[in-house]
Amino acid sequence: GQQLNQSPQSMFIQEGEDVSMNCTSSSIFNTWLWYKQDPGEGPVLLIALYKAGELTSNGRLTAQFGITRKDSFLNISASIPSDVGIYFCAGLSNFRGGSNYKLTFGKGTLLTVNP
Amino acid sequence: DAGITQSPRHKVTETGTPVTLRCHQTENHRYMYWYRQDPGHGLRLIHYSYGVKDTDKGEVSDGYSVSRSKTEDFLLTLESATSSQTSVYFCAISGPGRRNTEAFFGQGTRLTVV
């Protein structure tokens, strides 16, 4: 089946530093999504990317949809303590050659921010 | 917030017993998903639905079945619970148009099989 390789698995940084994480796959995806999960909660959508090459920002977050459609990255600038959590990438693909879709998730990046 | 409710939020059950988890949505979205989350594995897709009575298997479907008799409810059943099914289960939904790719998650159900 399709797999997303998300890296790094974990990061420990100082407040104010910039962060970068990425996802790669051998499969092509139509859409890339980035989520954040706080402890005890469900993942929350941060950014959605719809076109190859697309670069999108949401506050201090910036994400890009790779040209090959097989990868995406997420950057967080000037990190703050509340950025702590698990970040997931997700790729959307068609199945059965039709108009139905399914989402595949990476294994997540655990971010720790030291004040 | 998307209108997704999972029930129960927590459950402890014995090995061999059947368990049903419920996901209820008020958004009238077409797609619904069940994921399980385990340390080191991230989110893994169990089953998903692309319409009423239309479901398909995900990557870890063994030991699970689902049903969707109406748009708003997606049920996940463990026919005979095993300890390996101890996990946190998340339901997600996604809707029409371009935004049908943007999945929104419930708060999760923590299931412990003893």
Side-chain angles (χ1 to χ4, degrees):
Chain A
Q2 294 170 316
Q3 287 190 328
L4 294 183
N5 301 308
Q6 186 171 350
S7 64
Q9 289 186 346
S10 62
M11 302 181 73
F12 187 92
I13 62 171
Q14 295 295 122
E15 183 177 359
E17 290 183 353
D18 297 343
V19 172
S20 184
M21 59 191 78
N22 69 84
C23 272
T24 62
S25 176
S26 59
S27 303
I28 289 175
F29 290 96
N30 302 321
T31 297
W32 283 92
L33 306 171
W34 285 93
Y35 288 83
K36 183 193 177 198
Q37 184 179 29
D38 292 324
E41 301 292 329
V44 174
L45 182 65
L46 298 174
I47 291 180
L49 302 158
Y50 299 102
K51 295 193 317 182
E54 180 179 355
L55 184 70
T56 297
S57 293
N58 178 7
R60 293 179 295 104
L61 278 60
T62 301
Q64 185 159 28
F65 191 147
I67 292 292
T68 65
R69 296 169 61 193
K70 295 182 179 180
D71 63 321
S72 177
F73 71 75
L74 174 71
N75 288 341
I76 305 173
S77 61
S79 59
I80 59 178
S82 62
D83 289 335
V84 165
I86 304 175
Y87 291 80
F88 291 99
C89 64
L92 187 88
S93 57
N94 293 85
F95 74 95
R96 296 182 179 175
S99 60
N100 295 314
Y101 302 91
K102 66 174 181 177
L103 274 175
T104 303
F105 279 80
K107 293 185 178 180
T109 296
L110 175 62
L111 178 64
T112 304
V113 180
N114 189 32
Chain B
D1 291 342
I4 310 169
T5 304
Q6 289 185 232
S7 59
R9 293 292 313 279
H10 302 272
K11 187 172 181 65
V12 179
T13 192
E14 292 185 350
T15 299
T17 60
V19 177
T20 296
L21 308 183
R22 181 181 184 233
C23 179
H24 178 77
Q25 60 146 328
T26 58
E27 306 295 322
N28 201 36
H29 282 356
R30 177 182 177 188
Y31 297 92
M32 299 186 76
Y33 309 82
W34 276 108
Y35 291 87
R36 60 178 289 175
Q37 185 174 30
D38 305 287
H41 292 278
L43 288 159
R44 293 183 292 175
L45 182 63
I46 305 171
H47 281 279
Y48 54 105
S49 171
Y50 43 99
V52 173
K53 297 186 180 179
D54 287 326
T55 64
D56 206 347
K57 295 179 179 180
E59 58 182 304
V60 290
S61 60
D62 288 348
Y64 301 95
S65 63
V66 290
S67 66
R68 191 165 178 204
S69 59
K70 46 187 178 177
T71 299
E72 56 266 35
D73 290 325
F74 192 32
L75 305 180
L76 177 70
T77 297
L78 290 65
E79 303 290 347
S80 178
T82 67
S83 58
S84 65
Q85 293 176 311
T86 292
S87 185
V88 180
Y89 291 86
F90 286 101
C91 173
I93 65 173
S94 60
R98 189 186 210 194
R99 292 181 67 84
N100 71 359
T101 63
E102 297 176 10
F104 299 94
F105 284 80
Q107 291 194 300
T109 295
R110 182 172 294 276
L111 177 67
T112 303
V113 183
V114 298

